[in-house]
């Protein structure tokens, strides 16, 4: 299973996140940088199986990116064993 890591020490804004996602997930040029488009590509356009980890999230980022995290969690439920998603908070 391919593993993809999003390091939130390097992601501060949603624009940063989407830029990283395009690179890390090899998203198509037409990707729309929004939550609906994110769900669509996670469940229909990326190579599976895949394990995705968000690391070094601060508590502020956990709140700031909660909708994006929810999209990844929804994709994990939909795709079951083919898609794994976990996130880890930054150690104090």
């Amino acid at each position: 299973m391919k593993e993809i890591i999003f390091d939130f020490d390097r992601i501060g804004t949603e624009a940063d996140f989407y830029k990283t996602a395009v690179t890390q997930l090899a998203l198509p040029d037409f990707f729309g940088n929004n939550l609906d488009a994110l769900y669509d590509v996670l469940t229909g356009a990326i190579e599976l199986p895949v394990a995705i980890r968000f690391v070094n999230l601060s508590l502020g980022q956990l709140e700031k990116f909660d909708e994006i995290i929810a999209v990844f969690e929804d994709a994990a439920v939909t795709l079951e064993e083919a898609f794994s998603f976990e996130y880890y908070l930054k150690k104090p």
Side-chain angles (χ1 to χ4, degrees):
M1 179 179 285
K2 184 177 180 180
E3 183 177 55
I4 297 174
I5 296 174
F6 287 78
D7 185 349
F8 278 76
D9 275 344
R10 299 181 181 152
I11 298 172
T13 66
E14 283 190 22
D16 293 341
F17 172 80
Y18 284 120
K19 184 176 178 181
T20 302
V22 166
T23 303
Q24 291 280 63
L25 299 171
L27 299 182
D29 292 339
F30 59 85
F31 175 65
N33 291 351
N34 63 63
L35 296 173
D36 290 336
L38 181 61
Y39 182 80
D40 289 344
V41 295
L42 291 177
T43 58
I46 65 170
E47 181 181 337
L48 298 174
V50 65
I52 297 177
R53 312 277 182 259
F54 286 8
V55 301
N56 295 320
L57 278 162
S58 68
L59 289 176
Q61 287 173 315
L62 188 61
E63 187 173 317
K64 183 176 188 175
F65 293 98
D66 65 337
E67 292 179 322
I68 289 173
I69 290 169
V71 168
F72 278 83
E73 289 174 334
D74 288 348
V77 169
T78 299
L79 297 171
E80 299 179 344
E81 304 90 37
F83 187 99
S84 169
F85 173 69
E86 295 176 325
Y87 61 86
Y88 301 93
L89 295 176
K90 183 184 294 190
K91 294 180 181 176

